[in-house]
Amino acid sequence: MGCHCLLVTNSTQVPFYFILMGMAIFHTWISIPFCCLYTISIAGNTTLLAVIRAEPSLHEPMYLFLSMLALTDLGLSLTALPTLMRILWFNASEISFEACFIQFFFLHGFSFMESSVLSAMSFDHHMAICHPLHYFSILTKKAICRIGLAIICHYLLAVLPALFLLKRLPFYGSPHLSNSYCLHQDIIHLVCADTTTNNGYGFVLALLIIILDPLLTVLSYALILGHVLRIASQVERLRALSNCLSHILALLALYIPMVGVSMTHRFAKHAPRVVHVSMASVYVLAPPVMNPIIYSVKTKQIR
């Protein structure tokens, strides 16, 4: 069966837009909990940044990495918030082609940055526990700035090719996206052309993000565990492991929804739409909401 395509890259064509259908399956009252969650996310991460900046004793590598995490979570929330609130409050589900791809760029970019920041934080824990005497000499502010720049470069190199590969393709006229955000997994299904290259790149990118970053994290924790098991005192073992608990919870808050939304789009395409919408919402909301709570409760210095 053929499809009617609209070449959106041609400036002489009529304006092109997507329709975000995600929240159409819910009643208007669902805006109340979503608004509360976004408020918690923005207020929590802003508070973390303010506390770390205001308190000189927190100007240490661990808290500088935590600042990166809070900035990433803040960016993720502010990127997803506009379209969701427009749908819930004003029933305005249309989004222009350009705005959709801008959201796509930042939404996936901040998600990938979060993965890299958490991987860097696992290295920070490894250095603090296994090499405490060299901790401050290796993780200097200059070294942390370089790590931050490397994370940004990683984000750009990961997302920009996917963006350009997708933007060059023709789409259906007035397509409907199943979520309330412009996700790559959703947009790719509306392409009216061969998407082999896009799917291949997306698969490789998913492997790099979902496997490489966690692999580096697992390696750091394997070294930490080996070091902790050699510590004679059980009290010191528990203290060392408890220092990692916040980070482990933050990892779970990111990777469980990320893997879930990827698996849902790849292997459960015919599942009820509420499943896809719920997974996408958890994917965007879970890390920004959970991380400030986790680190505020579990980190004595911040509390």
Side-chain angles (χ1 to χ4, degrees):
M1 182 176 176
C3 63
H4 176 67
C5 293
L6 179 63
L7 187 59
V8 299
T9 55
N10 189 339
S11 60
T12 63
Q13 297 289 343
V14 295
F16 188 85
Y17 59 91
F18 293 105
I19 300 176
L20 302 170
M21 298 295 295
M23 288 298 156
I25 61 176
F26 296 115
H27 294 287
T28 307
W29 61 262
I30 199 71
S31 64
I32 298 172
F34 271 100
C35 188
C36 292
L37 288 173
Y38 274 110
T39 302
I40 292 170
S41 169
I42 294 170
N45 286 292
T46 303
T47 303
L48 269 181
L49 289 169
V51 168
I52 292 172
R53 181 180 179 182
E55 180 54 52
S57 65
L58 299 180
H59 296 175
E60 296 182 0
M62 172 186 172
Y63 303 105
L64 295 178
F65 283 121
L66 183 55
S67 296
M68 292 185 195
L69 187 66
L71 281 171
T72 304
D73 285 333
L74 202 55
L76 192 61
S77 294
L78 293 175
T79 301
L81 180 64
T83 53
L84 181 66
M85 290 298 106
R86 281 177 69 241
I87 295 171
L88 292 175
W89 288 349
F90 308 110
N91 197 27
S93 56
E94 297 86 4
I95 182 171
S96 69
F97 180 80
E98 292 77 13
C100 189
F101 274 83
I102 290 171
Q103 188 181 54
F104 159 89
F105 174 74
F106 285 107
L107 200 62
H108 286 283
F110 282 122
S111 180
F112 295 158
M113 282 179 67
E114 179 138 359
S115 177
S116 299
V117 171
L118 288 171
S119 182
M121 291 176 77
S122 68
F123 174 71
D124 170 78
H125 285 299
H126 163 65
M127 292 300 301
I129 294 172
C130 301
H131 307 285
L133 297 179
H134 303 288
Y135 179 71
F136 290 104
S137 62
I138 293 176
L139 287 175
T140 60
K141 287 186 178 180
K142 184 179 290 187
I144 293 170
C145 287
R146 289 174 179 170
I147 292 172
L149 287 174
I151 290 171
I152 293 172
C153 291
H154 174 221
Y155 146 47
L156 293 174
L157 291 174
V159 180
L160 280 177
L163 179 67
F164 289 125
L165 283 172
L166 193 59
K167 196 173 185 297
R168 65 187 176 86
L169 297 173
F171 290 82
Y172 295 111
S174 300
H176 292 72
L177 297 175
S178 60
N179 292 305
S180 303
Y181 326 104
C182 294
L183 297 176
H184 180 271
Q185 301 95 318
D186 206 10
I187 300 173
I188 195 71
H189 294 307
L190 300 176
V191 171
C192 194
D194 181 31
T195 59
T196 303
T197 303
N198 300 71
N199 289 330
Y201 180 80
F203 182 71
V204 171
L205 186 61
L207 287 178
L208 288 175
I209 299 299
I210 296 177
I211 293 180
L212 183 59
D213 283 343
L215 188 63
L216 294 173
T217 302
V218 168
L219 178 61
S220 295
Y221 274 104
L223 295 172
I224 290 171
L225 188 60
H227 177 80
V228 168
L229 291 175
R230 292 194 295 269
I231 297 175
S233 169
Q234 186 174 1
V235 175
E236 291 180 358
R237 290 180 188 177
L238 292 174
R239 186 184 298 121
L241 292 175
S242 67
N243 289 336
C244 301
L245 182 60
S246 299
H247 183 251
I248 293 171
L249 293 174
L251 287 168
L252 294 175
L254 173 67
Y255 286 118
I256 290 177
M258 183 184 286
V259 172
V261 76
S262 298
M263 294 300 102
T264 302
H265 277 277
R266 190 167 293 274
F267 300 112
K269 296 178 182 178
H270 302 294
R273 190 150 61 93
V274 67
V275 174
H276 292 274
V277 173
S278 299
M279 288 302 303
S281 299
V282 172
Y283 166 67
V284 173
L285 272 171
V289 171
M290 293 302 298
N291 289 339
I293 297 172
I294 291 168
Y295 279 98
S296 297
V297 171
K298 294 298 298 179
T299 307
K300 180 182 177 181
Q301 292 86 338
I302 292 177
R303 189 171 66 247

